[in-house]
Amino acid sequence: MKQQTIAKKVELVGIGLHKGVPVKMTLEPLDENCGIHFYRSDVGVSIPLNPENVVDTTMATVIAKEQYKISTIEHLLSAIHAYGIDNLKITLDNEEVPIMDGSSIGYCMLLEEAGILKQSSPKKILKIKTPIEVKEGDKFVRFEPNDACIFDFSIHFPHPAIGTQSYKFKFSTKNYKEEIARARTFGFLSEVQYLRSIGLALGGSLDNAIVLDDTTILNKEGLRYKEEFVRHKILDAIGDMSLLGIPLLGAYVSYAGSHKLNHLLTKKLFENSNAFEILESEESQKIYEYALQNA
């Protein structure tokens, strides 16, 4: 398998979920072995994508360089990872990625408009060799060895519209677009006043989130999937795991995981070099390619 970027420059304008301000976003091809880079055009600062640049995980994943932040990166990164893109420049003229409709399907459409360009260097794969876990009370996120790329997530909310939900997702671009990409972020009406008091959810609405009161869903159109809540958690996890910098061969398993726990898991993995290996040989690449084709 070869590394990939996009075939042409594309752009869009939207608003940020938490800051509620307009932002222009441009995606541009990058040369092989460059990775994913964010660029704040308003302040002239570039921020490479890696776990060490994560500075906040409250309600979203936030990266920064010095005092300059880029927030709510997980939905975009989820789509970028799903389309197998290794090298990309993401330019923003403000500090938050546009929220679109609260899912990643808009980013999927943007990437399809841009097209995918195969490059000459081989794609590197991160293979999980031994289990590694981060816990917080009864919540956990864990990597396990597996010959496929699996995201297995369970949640429980004491709300009649959610309750207990579980979903096991076998990763491929096709499966992602069909099973995960349209799952929207969600929040509770009772929390909105508090979130806005601390400068979050200022751009949130029924157009870009599932909103719940004490008993029901307020969105008139209802849900897009039966398990939309847990599927969105998988969407987020795929985005957060993209901070590993290379595709994952193994299983991600979680109960009530969060951006915080996802970040701690990526850091813990890189602190335990015996828990993984980097596959670079042609034969190793075929193993990953076979896993995707048979998802």
Side-chain angles (χ1 to χ4, degrees), residues 24-43:
K24 179 181 176 181
M25 182 178 77
T26 304
L27 306 183
E28 298 176 79
L30 270 187
D31 291 338
E32 55 199 42
N33 299 310
C34 286
I36 308 292
H37 286 255
F38 284 86
Y39 179 69
R40 283 276 304 272
S41 61
D42 56 325
V43 292

Side-chain angles (χ1 to χ4, degrees), residues 3-6 28-37 85-89 117-121:
Q3 294 180 27
Q4 298 186 138
T5 186
I6 57 174
E28 298 176 79
L30 270 187
D31 291 338
E32 55 199 42
N33 299 310
C34 286
I36 308 292
H37 286 255
I85 295 170
D86 305 281
N87 307 297
L88 189 69
K89 181 180 180 182
L117 179 67
K118 289 190 181 297
Q119 299 174 294
S120 58
S121 292

Side-chain angles (χ1 to χ4, degrees), residues 79-107:
I80 289 169
H81 184 77
Y83 278 72
I85 295 170
D86 305 281
N87 307 297
L88 189 69
K89 181 180 180 182
I90 305 161
T91 300
L92 303 163
D93 65 0
N94 214 310
E95 69 173 63
E96 191 171 15
V97 173
I99 188 58
M100 310 296 280
D101 71 346
S103 75
S104 66
I105 190 64
Y107 300 127

